[in-house]
Amino acid sequence: MDTHAHEEINGTVERVVYENLETGFRIFALASKVASVTVTGCVPPLKAGQNVSVTGAWVTHPKFGKQFQAAQCVVSLPATTAGLCTYLSSGALKGIGAVYAQKLVAAFGDQVLEVIDKRPEKLKKISGLGAKRIAGIIESWREQKAIAHIMVFLQDKGITPAYAYKIYKRYNTQAITIVQENPYRLAEEIWGIGFKIADQIAHQMGFDHHSSFRIQAGMLYAISQAIGSGHLYISIEDLKTTTKELLGLTAPDLDRMLKESFSHLHALGKIKIINHCDNHFVTTAQAYKNEHDVAQKIKLLLGYPPRLGLPIAAIYQRLRAQDGTIQLNEDQQRGIMAAIQAKITIITGGPGTGKTTLITQLLEILECHCVRFKLAAPTGRAAKRMTESTRRPASTIHRLLEFEPAVMRFKYNEEHTLPVDVLIVDESSMIDIFLANALLKAIPLYAHVIFIGDTDQLPPVGAGNFLRDLIASGCTTCIKLTHIFRQAQHSLITVNAHRINSGVFPASALPETRKDFIWIKEEDPTTLTKHIEQLLRGLLANNHIASHETVVLSPMNRGLAGTHKLNNDLQQLLNGNQTEKCTFGLTEFKIGDRVMQIRNNYEKFVFNGDMGTLSAINREEQTVQISYGDRAVAYKYTELDEVVLAYAITVHKSQGSEYPAVIIPLFCQHFTLLARNLLYTAITRAKKLCIIIGQPKAIAIAIKNNKSVARKTFLKEFLTQEVTCL
């Protein structure tokens, strides 16, 4: 690409051809006095009709020819009526489209923006503009002015428009003041802005690399990274090492500065220190409180007498008599008896071991004796499956607790407990320590709690290891179901899941089993998309399984067989003809795309792992609509960093879900994540058909690796011994 000397071009934006909201890169057509020019570069948000002054250089693109590459871009509002009409028609202000733009310009001429800004009551004169729409226009104008002011300030600090919007949304009119005082607050308080971005801003603003703000932020980031990988604590020595590497500092008195910053964070109450076995471990105050509160509530529940008052002997005789149509084995009977006698009971077992049958029989007993119960699971899909299998209503834990966005807390909590005598929670291996704390707070002391789960699956996506730690403590009754029932033995999915869990290679076929497990041997990951296309159009279609009922489960996001590439390929394959789209970052979102939420958003009441369909794009309002079942949720374009394409997802993200068909790519390039519990979890997500595509060596590596990373938690210790917290 050839470049030439810098010069300045002035003109009016004709149209924005392309924009990346995450990076701020845009391509737009600029009408100058001489001709129409294609301009590229990282520039502020633009709308047709705006006047711009662009400084940069002419370049020759090998494919698109002569373009003007912007180094700087100053934006001003249009001054002519024609420009104003174009500007307002472009969707610059929410609530104004082409029709109302013409009406407004006809009524107020070149004073239209001044009217909106200073005399908005005059808008009532325009026919069709109701109070609600006018309020939206005024709010949009004020927000745009505020964001524009922030953008001017942050433009030379390396901040993208999407991050600028986040900063504005979090701090409003205080945004610039807060960023000037301590830009490292952004890393701690705004989702999506990590330490590295905050550090970049601070550097641009002249903050010293040895600043106490920087060192404290680095420490908090190192702790948050440990929590993000599942741990709740990090040793002080590991914290020092990680922080030094992150900050890149080698000052002679660095240890002193680290110690001072550490002491300051501790004095502020932002971190807690655990002294255990002559070792010191650090975590955030929030993480410590959640785990400690969980332990305290479990102790209270176990110490409070049960009050179900059920006829234990009669129920036991009924179970032993086996006079019903469903036959229970001894472990299932013990599980039911434990559930009605012990305050907290854990039932574990793999697929086909009768967990659902146990729950159903328990519910019949509770209903027979008019005991109040509720069913819950961590995810929507798990709750739906629980409803289908028990024929009783089940909800997600979040819906059970009824989050109230207005006050940002759950309706049911320690002050207002659930009206329930027995709570049954399925897929409990997925529950992280934060959700466990919210749930346990809402359980009345007299209630019984039954946690159902499969401890051989992957640990929770979130931090902690709630179910495993609870079992390891020995404080609760735990029943493990191991017998595989005859009906389940006919499924090769179930048989192979147990074979893998036992360290045995999966079988391609066995006598008297359905061929619901298929392994396609493939050494070359570049052929993966072709295999998937053939499966969707052939085998799956012949088995009456639609593409929307099929999900690809990959061990990781990156690589030739990772979710990023697979999602791009599958979007083109399954939704390539759709032209209605919007862009965020490197992702094009199209109407009809399957998408997944990747963070808990309590305001929208959408949670990490929820899957939906992008059902509408509103360019005028700059929003998209995503349908989660029968519920539609609106997202601003700038909020699309919370969403990813979900034709392919990671195995970790699939926990708690079940799909008619799953396709699992497994190659040696996944080496760092190949583990027995990962493969076991992936296979057990399939309901009708499981297909593995990959290398025999990769499968062997996964089966052999049964050493899961031990998460650093203290729940077991909190439950069984005295732990010193500093």
Side-chain angles (χ1 to χ4, degrees):
M1 183 181 287
D2 299 326
T3 61
H4 306 285
H6 276 259
E7 61 180 89
E8 181 179 310
I9 298 178
N10 298 299
T12 303
V13 177
E14 291 182 314
R15 68 185 184 281
V16 178
V17 179
Y18 171 84
E19 64 178 341
N20 185 317
L21 293 174
E22 189 174 19
T23 63
F25 178 81
R26 289 174 172 83
I27 302 172
F28 62 97
L30 179 68
S32 69
K33 291 181 180 180
V34 179
S36 181
V37 177
T38 298
V39 182
T40 69
C42 291
V43 298
L46 298 172
K47 292 293 179 183
Q50 287 179 317
N51 297 324
V52 296
S53 175
V54 188
T55 304
W58 290 100
V59 299
T60 302
H61 192 281
K63 182 176 180 181
F64 299 109
K66 192 175 182 180
Q67 299 176 338
F68 192 77
Q69 193 172 75
Q72 286 186 321
C73 180
V74 178
V75 183
S76 58
L77 293 170
T80 66
T81 54
L84 286 164
C85 194
T86 302
Y87 170 67
L88 293 172
S89 297
S90 69
L93 299 182
K94 295 174 185 176
I96 301 178
V99 173
Y100 284 111
Q102 291 175 2
K103 286 185 178 183
L104 287 165
V105 173
F108 305 116
D110 59 7
Q111 300 298 303
V112 61
L113 295 180
E114 186 176 341
V115 168
I116 294 172
D117 186 32
K118 298 178 180 177
R119 300 187 296 278
E121 66 278 359
K122 287 191 173 185
L123 298 177
K124 296 176 183 177
K125 297 179 181 179
I126 306 298
S127 63
L129 275 185
K132 185 177 180 181
R133 188 182 288 265
I134 289 173
I137 293 170
I138 295 169
E139 177 60 28
S140 179
W141 172 253
R142 288 175 179 169
E143 185 176 278
Q144 189 179 109
K145 282 177 64 181
I147 294 175
H149 182 51
I150 293 170
M151 283 298 302
V152 171
F153 171 75
L154 295 177
Q155 188 173 2
D156 65 340
K157 308 294 188 295
I159 298 300
T160 66
Y163 288 139
Y165 176 78
K166 283 177 178 288
I167 294 168
Y168 165 75
K169 188 177 180 183
R170 176 67 174 82
Y171 302 124
N172 209 289
T173 56
Q174 297 297 308
I176 292 177
T177 301
I178 288 170
V179 172
Q180 286 176 325
E181 288 177 353
N182 179 12
Y184 291 103
R185 280 183 62 177
L186 305 179
E188 188 178 345
E189 298 174 356
I190 300 180
W191 185 85
I193 297 183
F195 174 80
K196 292 180 181 178
I197 294 173
D199 198 34
Q200 175 189 334
I201 300 169
H203 178 67
Q204 293 281 352
M205 295 178 66
F207 273 72
D208 187 348
H209 262 42
H210 295 82
S211 157
S212 60
F213 284 142
R214 183 171 189 258
I215 296 173
Q216 290 167 33
M219 282 187 166
L220 289 175
Y221 181 74
I223 297 170
S224 71
Q225 287 293 94
I227 292 174
S229 63
H231 301 284
L232 282 174
Y233 301 84
I234 181 172
S235 72
I236 285 184
E237 288 305 312
D238 285 344
L239 176 60
K240 285 173 62 177
T241 301
T242 304
T243 304
K244 286 179 180 179
E245 291 175 356
L246 177 69
L247 299 178
L249 299 178
T250 56
D253 56 348
L254 180 58
D255 285 337
R256 177 190 58 79
M257 289 188 288
L258 288 171
K259 186 176 180 180
E260 288 177 355
S261 292
F262 185 87
S263 298
H264 186 65
L265 289 173
H266 189 248
L268 290 174
K270 290 189 175 184
I271 60 174
K272 292 288 184 180
I273 307 167
I274 296 290
N275 183 7
H276 185 255
C277 298
D278 295 326
N279 291 312
H280 290 82
F281 298 88
V282 189
T283 188
T284 62
Q286 181 195 28
Y288 167 78
K289 186 177 188 308
N290 274 269
E291 190 176 50
H292 186 262
D293 286 357
V294 165
Q296 294 303 109
K297 184 58 182 278
I298 288 171
K299 289 178 180 179
L300 287 172
L301 282 168
L302 293 172
Y304 200 91
R307 72 173 200 187
L308 287 183
L310 299 179
I312 302 300
I315 291 172
Y316 181 67
Q317 288 302 318
R318 172 185 166 183
L319 294 176
R320 297 293 293 173
Q322 300 284 306
D323 54 359
T325 56
I326 297 178
Q327 303 294 306
L328 301 176
N329 63 27
E330 289 191 8
D331 286 338
Q332 289 173 310
Q333 294 172 31
R334 287 196 305 117
I336 291 175
M337 294 307 298
I340 62 177
Q341 294 180 88
K343 292 298 298 298
I344 300 177
T345 306
I346 299 171
I347 311 291
T348 71
T353 56
K355 297 191 297 295
T356 299
T357 302
L358 185 156
I359 297 171
T360 304
Q361 290 297 294
L362 172 61
L363 293 177
E364 288 186 6
I365 292 170
L366 298 179
E367 287 171 336
C368 181
H369 293 88
C370 300
V371 175
R372 299 176 304 169
F373 65 83
K374 288 189 180 295
L375 308 178
T379 67
R381 284 181 176 270
K384 182 181 179 182
R385 193 168 73 248
M386 198 178 189
T387 298
E388 292 169 349
S389 62
T390 64
R391 298 183 297 282
R392 277 95 169 170
S395 68
T396 63
I397 294 173
H398 290 95
R399 288 192 181 278
L400 175 74
L401 301 180
E402 295 186 24
F403 187 78
E404 298 175 316
V407 290
M408 292 301 288
R409 64 177 293 180
F410 288 110
K411 174 183 175 181
Y412 292 103
N413 49 57
E414 62 270 38
E415 298 167 1
H416 183 204
T417 55
L418 290 162
V420 65
D421 298 310
V422 175
L423 177 64
I424 303 174
V425 186
D426 200 7
E427 294 288 356
S428 297
S429 63
M430 290 183 63
I431 300 176
D432 64 34
I433 201 66
F434 304 104
L435 187 57
N437 189 30
L439 178 65
L440 286 165
K441 279 182 180 178
I443 297 172
L445 291 175
Y446 56 78
H448 289 231
V449 189
I450 299 104
F451 292 110
I452 315 289
D454 185 350
T455 53
D456 292 319
Q457 291 186 23
L458 288 167
V461 174
N465 219 348
F466 170 69
L467 189 65
R468 282 179 175 268
D469 288 347
L470 192 53
I471 293 171
S473 74
C475 293
T476 60
T477 303
C478 181
I479 306 297
K480 183 162 187 177
L481 307 179
T482 56
H483 174 73
I484 306 174
F485 284 84
R486 182 175 296 277
Q487 185 178 0
Q489 291 176 1
H490 293 308
S491 167
L492 204 52
I493 293 173
T494 301
V495 171
N496 278 333
H498 286 279
R499 286 171 68 96
I500 288 166
N501 206 28
S502 300
V504 180
F505 215 81
S508 298
L510 288 172
E512 298 183 6
T513 58
R514 298 188 301 274
K515 195 169 178 59
D516 55 6
F517 181 96
I518 296 169
W519 174 26
I520 300 173
K521 295 180 182 180
E522 178 57 71
E523 294 290 334
D524 183 5
T526 63
T527 66
L528 186 55
T529 301
K530 184 177 180 181
H531 278 297
I532 294 172
E533 181 178 5
Q534 291 173 344
L535 288 167
L536 290 171
R537 305 200 190 289
L539 179 64
L540 291 165
N542 294 338
N543 281 274
H544 308 290
I545 299 175
S547 59
H548 69 268
E549 297 178 304
T550 305
V551 67
V552 179
L553 302 182
S554 175
M556 61 175 54
N557 290 314
R558 302 186 183 280
L560 291 172
T563 63
H564 293 332
K565 181 180 186 305
L566 288 170
N567 272 315
N568 289 333
D569 292 347
L570 292 172
Q571 182 192 51
Q572 183 60 34
L573 177 65
L574 300 173
N575 202 24
N577 294 328
Q578 177 59 254
T579 57
E580 278 293 304
K581 60 187 178 182
C582 64
T583 303
F584 185 89
L586 300 176
T587 304
E588 280 190 347
F589 291 100
K590 300 182 178 183
I591 290 179
D593 277 340
R594 183 197 298 168
V595 296
M596 173 182 279
Q597 177 80 9
I598 58 171
R599 71 175 289 246
N600 289 339
N601 188 320
Y602 289 95
E603 292 179 1
K604 297 183 185 299
F605 209 73
V606 184
F607 303 100
N608 190 358
D610 286 355
M611 290 177 66
T613 303
L614 198 153
S615 51
I617 296 174
N618 188 325
R619 295 189 179 279
E620 184 175 304
E621 297 289 330
Q622 296 180 43
T623 62
V624 303
Q625 180 176 284
I626 297 175
S627 297
Y628 296 96
D630 57 358
R631 179 171 170 263
V633 179
Y635 290 74
K636 294 180 180 179
Y637 282 1
T638 49
E639 295 175 317
L640 287 175
D641 59 343
E642 298 186 10
V643 177
V644 295
L645 294 176
Y647 298 101
I649 62 176
T650 63
V651 179
H652 284 80
K653 289 289 188 182
S654 74
Q655 289 174 258
S657 297
E658 188 177 68
Y659 309 92
V662 301
I663 299 172
I664 307 166
L666 219 61
F667 293 89
C668 290
Q669 64 177 236
H670 298 136
F671 178 82
T672 56
L673 290 176
L674 292 179
R676 187 183 299 179
N677 59 358
L678 180 134
L679 181 54
Y680 173 77
T681 301
I683 288 173
T684 53
R685 300 310 92 202
K687 187 176 181 180
K688 294 180 181 178
L689 188 60
C690 176
I691 303 167
I692 293 180
I693 305 173
Q695 298 166 290
K697 184 178 179 180
I699 296 176
I701 292 170
I703 293 172
K704 186 178 180 181
N705 180 15
N706 197 32
K707 296 178 181 178
S708 57
V709 177
R711 295 187 170 189
K712 193 59 199 172
T713 63
F714 279 103
L715 180 58
K716 175 186 172 183
E717 287 75 12
F718 285 150
L719 288 168
T720 59
Q721 56 190 265
E722 290 296 322
V723 178
T724 304
C725 176
L726 305 176

